[in-house]
Amino acid sequence: MIDSLPKTAQPFMDWGWSQIEPYTKELEGRPLSAGNLAGWLADWTQLASLVTETFARLYVATTVDTTDKAAEARYRAFLDEIYPRAIAAEQKLKEKLLASGLQPPAGFELPLQRMQIEAALFREENLPLLTEERKLSNEFDKITGAQTVEWEGQEVTLPQLRPVFQNPDREVRERAWRLSMARQLEDRDAINALWQKFMGVRGQLTANADLDNYRSYRWREMLRLDYGPDDCMTFHEAIEAVAVPAALRIYERRRARLGVAALRPWDLSVDPLGRPPLRPFTTVDELESKTAAMFRRVDPHLGDNFQIMRDEGLLDLENRKGKAPGGYCQTFELARKPFIFMNAVGLHDDVQTLLHEGGHAFHVFEIRAAALYPAVGVGPGVRRGGVDGDGTALRAVPAHQRGRLLLRSGRRTRPHRAPGGCHPVLAVHGGGRCLPALGVHQPRRRR
Ligand SMILES: [Zn+2]
């Protein structure tokens, strides 16, 4: 039966649940044995990859243009009709596998452990809330994607103001910063109202899951197995003891070099030695071609993979009005191809962002060759270790293959702005997009 599924996501994207359900029912009803388990997992994967890629493509369409009403309507229709039913069907398959007591294939230990946590966290009554939470995230993208100001007679987005923060003229920097802040404050009430809705939804998700606080819920949802909140507190204390004094020394050196009485927010991006700001590229084509050359220098294999992304339109790098904020690398699960999204405006930081997301993307290419039973959940930014989805797939790669994956993403680590964000080395996102401009994590999951 699974063979009758489309081989690519495009024809599947318009399927209704009535067309999908027979496949989940068949998987649910299929007797499981040690002999057919691998086949069953592979069939489950085939179906789940179609649902996940559909979600990823619909989601991406809402971020590349937040004003696209048709894209928004398709995404929300998916969130209403397919998303909750697919999660419920997934739950049944997880329960079936867990109850079978069968020994899963080698390398499936960690995914199985995670599946136990997911299955325990599942609540039927949380399904509409998960849908609502995604819709609220989309609302956030629309609000922030619409933010523009008039600067020197031109309408510019807030990211497009960022190069101005490097202007040697302090008065100009201050004016741009105040303009940017004033524009963000205009949406304060709307974002606060959104946040209150998030709080309500998350409080209910937590209560329905019989947990005492959202952090506990989120910890399980993010499948954080290796560390707990207390470890984070210890880490925070270490940051306070070590990193904060270092940052204060760096700021004081910057204040002295700039010759100002007190450092202000608009003094943080300008070169303290008065050198002209780095302008690594002026066009997106230049950003792509120079980055391609860098990857190729590191390893021709990376260069080839990046070229595939250029050739197949899997890069949307430049900032423009109406684009959602931040950057992410998304996985089109069935095609096993990555898609990189960001808001480049000509800064050194943009080069770092592309190298960073490139690291994620190379993970996706590397796992393509691996035997995978992702049994992925549903939806981009699966809050199971990777907005970008690659974290999800990474966990099902047999241990002996993981070494090569980590080696390949040998980019320079840099502080990630999102709490719960990305582990710089493993490049596994904490389910959300980093919002450099706002320094807040989009609740997704990010965020
Ligand atoms: Zn990341």
Side-chain angles (χ1 to χ4, degrees), residues 356-357 360 388 416 422 429:
H356 177 94
E357 300 303 345
H360 287 302
D388 306 0
H416 214 85
C422 169
H429 263 286

Side-chain angles (χ1 to χ4, degrees), residues 19 76 122 150 168 202 209-210 308 320 326 336 368 372:
Q19 293 168 279
R76 287 175 174 248
F122 176 86
E150 172 120 347
R202 288 168 173 169
D210 310 306
I308 290 170
R320 37 177 201 273
R336 293 198 180 163
R368 287 181 62 185
L372 267 186

